[in-house]
Amino acid sequence: MKTRLTELLGVEHPIMLAGMGGVSYSSLVAAVSNAGGYGCLGASTMSRDTLIEEIAATRARTTRPFGVDLLTAFPDSLVEHVELAIEGGASTFVAGLGVPSQIVELCHQNGVLVVSLCGKVDHALRARDAGCDLVVAQGTEAGGHTGLVATLPLVPLIVDALAGEIPVVAAGGIFDGRGLAASLALGADGVWVGTRFIATFEARTLPGYHDRILEAREDATVISRAFTGKTMRVLSNDTTARYEADPSLLHPFPDQLFTSMREGTFHLGGDGFTSGVDFRREGYPAGQAVGGVEEILPAAQIIQRMVDDASEIIARLAQL
Ligand SMILES: Cc1cc2nc3c(=O)[nH]c(=O)nc-3n(C[C@H](O)[C@H](O)[C@H](O)COP(=O)(O)O)c2cc1C
């Protein structure tokens, strides 16, 4: 399955692992890259030392390309962390939450591609204007920080707006070969998958995370500011209900994140300190795709199944 994305990234399959903070660490990143996809480290919650270690551990486990995902919402450490990603040998820098204008030139000077997550057409146009090399069109179905527009309209709208200038990768609610085939049909060059990869043996998780993902139905998530102060899709629980009942308790980003950490309701990304995780109160980011996640699998198996099923679907449709 060759697309502009596989060409640009130098990979076999048009499947990217979302750089999920607290989840996409070296084991999962390397497993995805070794399986012919494109692994991305979720570095948004990593300290400087952890980032250095995780990049080194990724390189020790794979010789294939991989990326590093950071949030532009933490501008103080952004340039330094991007420099570490470049030195460590990442081939892309991915920016969640905002167009990373300030580091595009630095990345390009070092041969690193720049990717921006976009929830609206305007974001995608700003990313293109800033010099980004590809955009991820992330629909509201997605786990983690997310916008309001659904994947089905968002992807073709961004594809049309960019008119082929740079590749578009679809995200939000994609968990199998049907999602991959549908994304290609919408004009995307590949997919960016988060939630499905949480339920892998290689993912870094929290106590209770896998169990909750496996039991959750498609309506078990809610968009809430409860854990960071920004709109984030998570599994609904007592904490999301409390803030929904009284939004005046909320602080703006990032103060709400510090509040959650202090109150012991958000451990994702912490350096292994997970005692006191209570699933009724804990922030577990997840997308609506949870409804389709029924077993923990090796990441390579998820990728192979997606590619096989999508190829079969595309061949079947071609007969119509
Ligand atoms: C646990 C979790 C953590 C995430 N952390 C980040 C992050 O740190 N940076 C980022 O750009 N996106 C983050 N996201 C969003 C993903 O990059 C991606 O857009 C989303 O998972 C795709 O939708 P899906 O979950 O339906 O596959 C996160 C998502 C999840 C589920």
Side-chain angles (χ1 to χ4, degrees):
M1 209 176 259
K2 294 273 166 275
T3 69
R4 286 206 300 169
L5 185 72
T6 58
E7 297 296 310
L8 186 66
L9 298 179
V11 295
E12 211 177 321
H13 307 306
I15 300 171
M16 301 178 79
L17 163 69
M20 294 178 283
V23 175
S24 302
Y25 275 49
S26 49
S27 312
L28 182 56
V29 173
V32 168
S33 289
N34 283 332
Y38 188 85
C40 243
L41 277 172
S44 60
T45 57
M46 289 180 196
S47 65
R48 185 180 186 278
D49 288 349
T50 306
L51 178 57
I52 293 170
E53 280 165 28
E54 284 298 311
I55 291 178
T58 303
R59 292 200 63 181
R61 291 179 158 115
T62 186
T63 53
R64 310 246 179 127
F66 66 94
V68 171
D69 178 302
L70 289 162
L71 301 180
T72 44
F74 295 113
D76 294 348
S77 56
L78 184 64
V79 173
E80 192 197 357
H81 283 194
V82 169
E83 281 167 354
L84 291 175
I86 293 168
E87 281 164 30
S91 71
T92 63
F93 164 70
V94 184
L97 287 185
V99 176
S101 317
Q102 65 274 48
I103 51 75
V104 171
E105 208 180 310
L106 172 66
C107 287
H108 285 171
Q109 279 165 356
N110 289 280
V112 171
L113 300 167
V114 183
V115 182
S116 178
L117 259 67
C118 304
K120 294 207 275 191
V121 170
D122 276 358
H123 295 167
L125 293 175
R126 271 193 280 128
R128 176 205 59 190
D129 294 345
C132 291
D133 301 282
L134 68 96
V135 296
V136 174
Q138 189 215 43
T140 186
E141 299 91 318
H145 290 118
T146 194
L148 290 172
V149 184
T151 307
L152 197 60
L154 184 68
V155 173
L157 289 174
I158 289 185
V159 166
D160 285 350
L162 295 178
E165 286 179 65
I166 51 176
V168 176
V169 179
I174 298 158
F175 62 93
D176 64 10
R178 292 170 295 186
L180 171 56
S183 300
L184 297 175
L186 292 174
D189 300 281
V191 292
W192 168 264
V193 179
T195 298
R196 184 61 193 90
F197 282 117
I198 301 172
T200 55
F201 296 111
E202 298 92 344
R204 180 180 182 275
T205 63
L206 291 172
Y209 209 169
H210 275 168
D211 291 342
R212 292 282 288 119
I213 295 261
L214 292 178
E215 73 193 20
R217 301 272 175 89
E218 72 281 6
D219 62 352
T221 71
V222 65
I223 294 182
S224 174
R225 293 183 190 270
F227 299 103
T228 67
K230 283 194 187 284
T231 52
M232 180 159 81
R233 189 177 288 284
V234 293
L235 294 171
S236 52
N237 61 12
D238 291 354
T239 306
T240 60
R242 179 160 71 96
Y243 283 103
E244 200 173 306
D246 189 356
S248 71
L249 296 172
L250 286 168
H251 301 285
F253 176 89
D255 293 351
Q256 186 65 22
L257 173 63
F258 304 136
T259 302
S260 305
M261 288 159 78
R262 213 174 34 246
E263 291 183 345
T265 59
F266 201 68
H267 295 80
L268 204 62
D271 281 340
F273 180 72
T274 54
S275 63
V277 172
D278 172 356
F279 74 92
R280 285 160 303 199
R281 301 170 62 236
E282 182 69 20
Y284 294 118
Q288 294 176 334
V290 281
V293 180
E294 276 153 13
E295 54 184 333
I296 311 295
L297 291 171
Q301 200 170 321
I302 293 171
I303 291 177
Q304 199 53 54
R305 272 194 200 170
M306 279 182 97
V307 172
D308 290 348
D309 291 351
S311 304
E312 195 190 306
I313 291 165
I314 292 165
R316 182 157 39 84
L317 293 178
Q319 306 296 317
L320 292 177

